[in-house]
Amino acid sequence: MGGCVSQKKNKCYLGIALFHLSLGCTTSMAYASNEQFNDALSAANAGNVAQLDQYTLAMQNDVLGYYPEYFKLNTNLAMQPSSSIVQFAQKYPNSAMAEKLAADYVEEKVKQANYLDAQPVLPYVTNADTAEDCAIAQVRAKSGDSLVFAEYKDLWLSTNSNMPDACMGLNRMMSSSPLMTSEDKQQRLWTQLRAGQIGLAASTAQSLGLNISIAQLTQIQTNPLGYLWSAPKANDTDYAYLIFALGRLAESDLTAGLTAANRAAEGVPPAVQKYLYRTVAYIGGTTVLKNNFNRIVLNYFDASYGIPFSQEEAEIYARQAIRFGAWDSLIRAISVMGVTQQQESRWQYWLARADEQQADSSYKKQATTIYDSLAESGDDYYNLLAQERIGQKYNRVDNAQPLADDLQRVNQDVNFSRAFALRNIGAPAIYANREWNWAVRQAYLRKDDGLLLAAAQRASNIAWYDRAIYAAERTTNKHNYTLRYLTPHQSAVVLHSGNVGLDPAWAYGLMRQESRFVTNARSNVGAGGLMQIMPNTAKLVARQMGETYNPAALSDMNTNVRYGTYYLSMIQGQLNGNAVLATAGYNAGPNRALRWQPTDQPLPADQYIESIPFDETRNYVKNVMTNTIHYGAILGQGQQYMSKWMKMIPLRGQ
């Protein structure tokens, strides 16, 4: 043959199987073998083990050759002996699918309460998600690890109804453990009562020797206010019913709950009194969408200070304090956080903001020290805010290039080779992305910036933009901001942004957050394309622009950008021309962004953003603002600063 040409595709795919071959490009047989992945996947979905055996043999020398073996083991994972999982992990060390197989196996065995079989597999799970982490913790606890429960105290106090089964199981294990003190169990009981979790609360009460009646709790739930007027307050069982009643009242009518809190708190021990205030404060702080912001909620958080806070409670307390500029309360809220939580950049930034407001010069000096540290440690949202607080502006466009050797090493790296091979054969994105993310993780752990930049460059060259960004973001010392903040479709973005008076840096900042430039991206609620436009929004924009709506047009890059920039400009006009409000409105809807505006006095933009009640929207706005600063630098707009975009939030209606 005249060179290395695939008989199926008539192309030379460099590096796909270079890990197995010392040639400069793949052979036609190796590439054809790669393409058998999709057939093997179909066999796995059909449960055809015999065919998987055939593909195992046919693909044994291919970079994707471990997939038929993985599929076969995964076909009936719960029935596999642990030795088979360990053998696979040792045969394919530090690989994405060995990690996944081991993690899934541990979860399956924990579901069976077969902790003994799960134990030998634990060393091969190194990047567990939440459910896997809880399963591993159960196995550790069963093997006699006495420290494990202390690591999961926040999980123990969580009232998340969508908690993974493995985490629910870990909580049950903790409930029956003698290592959990009476104080731990009491805090859990009160938290469950506050959340209205009748069955779980009754179980926890039993472990404390309290006889709480489910029938009584159910009766209280039908008329909590009536119960509160005549509630007995003589013992721990009475206090439990009291907390439950106040929580149910506050959930149904926060104003009534806030009013009833003082009466409920009369004549009870100080700890119970504080938790009654904590109950209405927490419910008020987590129902802002329904009840808006209420200063009394923060007052009751202050009144509850002195008994332990969970991580979640401390964050709600802090965000309420930030909303109202209550800097002493914010310092208290941060002081009750765990050490790890306190050291997060967001709480360091807000501690500095609070210290800055104190009259004592030592606090102001501490604020400056924190700002200096944040300003030097990165260029994410809080780093950029800190830079501006000490008078720095931003114009960083690092552009480190991968070396020729780095580009060659990407071809030789088995993890990246698997990812590119899956991409080239059109395998389901979940497999290609998993291999890519795993490859990036391994390079990141080695601090191999050259390999990461080379992989990002190669991904960008084939328009695999989201993975290019994912790799470029994870370098440690050498950075390339043109890869981190890619600008595909630049002529269209600049044109359509200019037509509606938008800065293209903002349009790019939003687009990067919405889709990472995946043209056919689809959200679980139906938003689509580069700017993730909802069908109803697209219909509105088409009507405003005097066009006939065509659903298929949203898949067109040009139309998607044109509609998205028009809509962003439209809601900016509805929201005082304010970029922060418009960004929040683009994600959560303009009516919500409007509703979150202050009603008493204008609010600094960082305080508005931090108090947005949706986690998704709060993080979205932070990321878009950060992206926008970087795109301003990338597009050659000179020095950038956050206050250019984060203007004071005006009063609602002004």
Side-chain angles (χ1 to χ4, degrees), residues 203-463:
S203 176
T204 303
Q206 191 173 20
S207 73
L208 281 165
L210 298 180
N211 185 23
I212 290 181
S213 163
I214 290 180
Q216 173 74 334
L217 290 173
T218 304
Q219 184 176 349
I220 290 171
Q221 189 165 242
T222 61
N223 184 15
L225 182 59
Y227 178 82
L228 285 169
W229 278 111
S230 58
K233 302 176 181 179
N235 53 48
D236 287 345
T237 300
D238 291 344
Y239 306 147
Y241 289 142
L242 196 64
I243 291 167
F244 179 77
L246 186 60
R248 304 292 53 76
L249 178 62
E251 285 281 8
S252 61
D253 186 340
L254 180 63
T255 301
L258 293 170
T259 303
N262 283 326
R263 180 183 177 91
E266 290 175 356
V268 300
V272 177
Q273 184 181 81
K274 289 178 183 297
Y275 201 81
L276 288 165
Y277 288 127
R278 175 78 52 79
T279 294
V280 288
Y282 177 87
I283 291 172
T286 53
T287 57
V288 171
L289 287 172
K290 181 170 68 174
N291 296 296
N292 294 325
F293 294 94
N294 190 322
R295 186 62 170 78
I296 300 174
V297 166
L298 178 59
N299 294 343
Y300 281 162
F301 263 125
D302 287 336
S304 80
Y305 182 78
I307 59 172
F309 278 78
S310 70
Q311 177 174 305
E312 183 185 22
E313 289 170 346
E315 289 196 9
I316 300 297
Y317 183 15
R319 285 205 294 269
Q320 290 292 306
I322 289 166
R323 174 70 185 199
F324 294 104
W327 305 112
D328 290 343
S329 296
L330 178 55
I331 290 172
R332 280 194 293 272
I334 295 173
S335 75
V336 299
M337 294 177 178
V339 174
T340 302
Q341 190 180 8
Q342 287 180 358
Q343 293 306 312
E344 294 174 13
S345 58
R346 58 176 166 160
W347 300 123
Q348 284 295 294
Y349 171 78
W350 284 111
L351 179 60
R353 287 276 275 115
D355 285 345
E356 209 175 19
Q357 309 301 318
Q358 306 301 310
D360 190 329
S361 61
S362 65
Y363 281 95
K364 295 181 185 297
K365 184 176 180 180
Q366 178 175 295
T368 302
T369 300
I370 294 173
Y371 286 142
D372 286 341
S373 177
L374 285 172
E376 294 173 2
S377 62
D379 48 31
D380 286 339
Y381 178 74
Y382 295 104
N383 307 127
L384 293 171
L385 287 176
Q387 287 173 20
E388 187 161 351
R389 301 298 293 191
I390 58 175
Q392 294 181 8
K393 292 188 177 180
Y394 180 84
N395 189 25
R396 179 177 180 177
V397 188
D398 291 9
N399 201 22
Q401 297 297 314
L403 304 176
D405 178 61
D406 297 326
L407 294 166
Q408 182 67 17
R409 287 193 302 120
V410 172
N411 295 338
Q412 296 168 339
D413 184 279
V414 65
N415 296 311
F416 280 118
S417 292
R418 286 181 181 132
F420 282 115
L422 289 163
R423 169 82 172 183
N424 285 338
I425 63 174
I430 188 173
Y431 290 99
N433 288 349
R434 181 180 290 119
E435 292 284 4
W436 182 269
N437 296 351
W438 181 261
V440 168
R441 174 177 165 76
Q442 302 315 300
Y444 168 76
L445 291 174
R446 298 191 304 268
K447 294 184 170 53
D448 193 341
D449 291 349
L451 186 63
L452 288 170
L453 291 176
Q457 183 64 68
R458 185 172 165 190
S460 177
N461 290 345
I462 61 172

